[in-house]
Amino acid sequence: MLSRYYKLIITFSFCLFVSSLVLIRVGSDQALSVPKLTAFAFNELTRRNSGPDVADYTCHHLKVGLQVGHWNNQHPPAELSWLVGNTGAYGGGLMEWESNHRIAVAAKQILEKHGIQVDLLEAVVPIRYQAAAFVSIHADGSDTNPSANGFKIAGPERDWSGRSKQLTESIRQKYAQVTKMPEDAHNITQNMTHYYSFSPDRFQHAIDSKTPATLLETGFLSNSGDQHFLIHHPEIPGEGLAQGLILFLDSQPGIDPCL
Ligand SMILES: [Zn+2]
C-alpha cells in the first residue's frame, strides 16, 4: 500500500519536473525570439492598446505630405472660396499644377523607396493635417520678365512647430545642390510666409500646428532655363526635394511615425 503511494508520488514529481523543463524551454525561446521594442514600435503598441477612439492603426512609416499647388481647387470649402480660378503660373505648355504634380510624383517615388509614406495633397488640405513634414510645391511665372529665374523657399512666418526653419534649410540646401538652380531669395512674398495651408489660426483646412511646413517655388515656368528642369526633367527637382526631406527626417530621431 505504502509503496503504491510512493510510486504515485514519484510519478507525479517526475511529471512536474518534465513540465517545468518544458515551460522553462518555451519561456527562454520566447525571450530569445522577441526583439527589443523600438521607441516607434512601443508607440505603436501603446496607441493600438489605448482604446477605440484611436482611429489610425496603420502608421508604420514616417509620413510626409506633398501639396500640389493649385491642384483641384475648383470646389473649395467656403473659407477658401477665393481659390477658385487661382491657377497660378503657366509656361512651356503646362499649367502650374501640372508641373507641380510631376515634381511631387517624382519626389514621392524616391521617398517611398526610402520607406517614407507620401500623401499627395490637393490645394485644399484635410482639416488639421498631420505629418512629419508638409511641403507645398509651386512654380513662379513672369509675364514681363522672361529672364526671371531660380527657386525660392520659405516656411511660415510664425513657426508653430518650431521645426519649419530646419525643414526649409534642409530642402534649400539639397534643392540647390541637385538642381544647380540659382536662388531667388530676395523675392519671398507674404503669400509664401502667410500661406493659407500654413495657417491653422485662420483656416480649418490647414496643417496641424505640430506639423513642420515649408513652401517651395520650384523655378520659373516662364524662363527657358528653368523649363529644362520643370518641363523636361521634373525628376531633377523631384530628387532635390526628396533629398532635402530625407536630410530633415534624418535629423529628427525621435519623430513619431504615427503623426
Ligand atoms: Zn503657385
Side-chain angles (χ1 to χ4, degrees):
M1 192 67 184
L2 199 64
S3 70
R4 214 167 125 201
Y5 279 128
Y6 275 132
K7 271 185 195 165
L8 271 174
I9 290 169
I10 288 167
T11 312
F12 179 71
S13 311
F14 180 72
C15 289
L16 204 63
F17 176 65
V18 170
S19 8
S20 319
L21 279 180
V22 169
L23 281 175
I24 288 167
R25 175 76 188 142
V26 168
S28 64
D29 273 352
Q30 277 177 349
L32 284 174
S33 64
V34 175
K36 275 190 175 174
L37 279 184
T38 61
F40 289 173
F42 180 75
N43 259 334
E44 174 66 3
L45 283 175
T46 311
R47 280 169 184 265
R48 280 167 187 247
N49 293 328
S50 60
D53 55 330
V54 178
D56 181 10
Y57 296 142
T58 58
C59 46
H60 302 295
H61 303 286
L62 282 175
K63 183 181 80 174
V64 301
L66 300 181
Q67 184 193 40
V68 177
H70 310 275
W71 187 27
N72 280 345
N73 64 358
Q74 295 312 300
H75 303 286
E79 64 171 357
L80 297 173
S81 57
W82 46 270
L83 281 178
V84 176
N86 181 354
T87 52
Y90 177 85
L94 285 189
M95 304 281 289
E96 185 187 323
W97 77 264
E98 295 174 291
S99 173
N100 300 336
H101 191 269
R102 290 177 175 197
I103 292 168
V105 169
K108 182 176 192 280
Q109 285 170 353
I110 296 168
L111 291 164
E112 285 177 346
K113 279 183 193 152
H114 283 77
I116 298 162
Q117 188 185 326
V118 178
D119 289 336
L120 284 192
L121 302 168
E122 300 179 350
V124 178
V125 302
I127 293 172
R128 300 288 175 266
Y129 176 75
Q130 292 190 2
F134 170 86
V135 182
S136 181
I137 302 170
H138 284 263
D140 273 317
S142 173
D143 295 334
T144 52
N145 182 9
S147 64
N149 70 332
F151 80 95
K152 52 184 166 280
I153 184 164
E157 186 168 273
R158 181 165 178 191
D159 188 353
W160 301 89
S161 70
R163 290 178 293 136
S164 296
K165 212 165 260 175
Q166 196 180 348
L167 172 65
T168 303
E169 289 311 313
S170 301
I171 297 175
R172 168 183 286 132
Q173 181 191 327
K174 287 296 178 182
Y175 196 82
Q177 200 177 312
V178 172
T179 64
K180 300 185 172 50
M181 274 189 195
E183 191 176 348
D184 183 32
H186 298 300
N187 293 309
I188 303 282
T189 62
Q190 280 219 344
N191 282 342
M192 295 176 74
T193 55
H194 293 75
Y195 188 61
Y196 65 95
S197 299
F198 290 169
S199 306
D201 54 333
R202 290 188 292 144
F203 302 105
Q204 285 285 306
H205 291 267
I207 55 167
D208 185 88
S209 58
K210 292 192 294 293
T211 300
T214 197
L215 188 153
L216 174 64
E217 292 280 2
T218 50
F220 278 75
L221 268 174
S222 50
N223 177 267
S224 56
D226 288 1
Q227 283 180 2
H228 171 73
F229 300 104
L230 303 180
I231 294 173
H232 304 297
H233 293 287
E235 72 279 5
I236 297 174
E239 188 184 336
L241 169 57
Q243 282 195 21
L245 273 163
I246 291 165
L247 178 65
F248 170 71
L249 295 174
D250 280 349
S251 71
Q252 310 282 308
I255 207 158
D256 185 345
C258 295
L259 270 176

